[in-house]
Amino acid sequence: MDNHFSQQKIEDLRAEMVLLFEACNNFTDHAVVKISQELDKLLNEYSGRLAKRSR
């Protein structure tokens, strides 16, 4: 996963999460939580890759 792809995927998921939240106005809605968890996983992976490259 290259840097540009990761950043784009992060932004896409974040935008999707915001739209889902705005549609249901509930942070604990199953769909919002699921996408939030996917975003967390991707952010952790991306952060790990950046940390490895800076060593």
Side-chain angles (χ1 to χ4, degrees), residues 31-45:
V32 175
V33 170
K34 184 176 179 189
I35 201 164
S36 176
Q37 291 170 337
E38 290 176 35
L39 182 57
D40 286 346
K41 183 179 175 185
L42 188 59
L43 285 166
N44 288 335
E45 181 181 323

Side-chain angles (χ1 to χ4, degrees), residues 1 3 6-7 9-11 13-14 35-53 55:
M1 189 179 311
N3 224 14
S6 297
Q7 290 173 333
K9 182 69 173 168
I10 288 167
E11 290 305 316
L13 279 174
R14 185 176 286 135
I35 201 164
S36 176
Q37 291 170 337
E38 290 176 35
L39 182 57
D40 286 346
K41 183 179 175 185
L42 188 59
L43 285 166
N44 288 335
E45 181 181 323
Y46 182 70
S47 178
R49 289 176 186 255
L50 289 178
K52 283 182 182 179
R53 289 188 359 205
R55 290 183 198 167

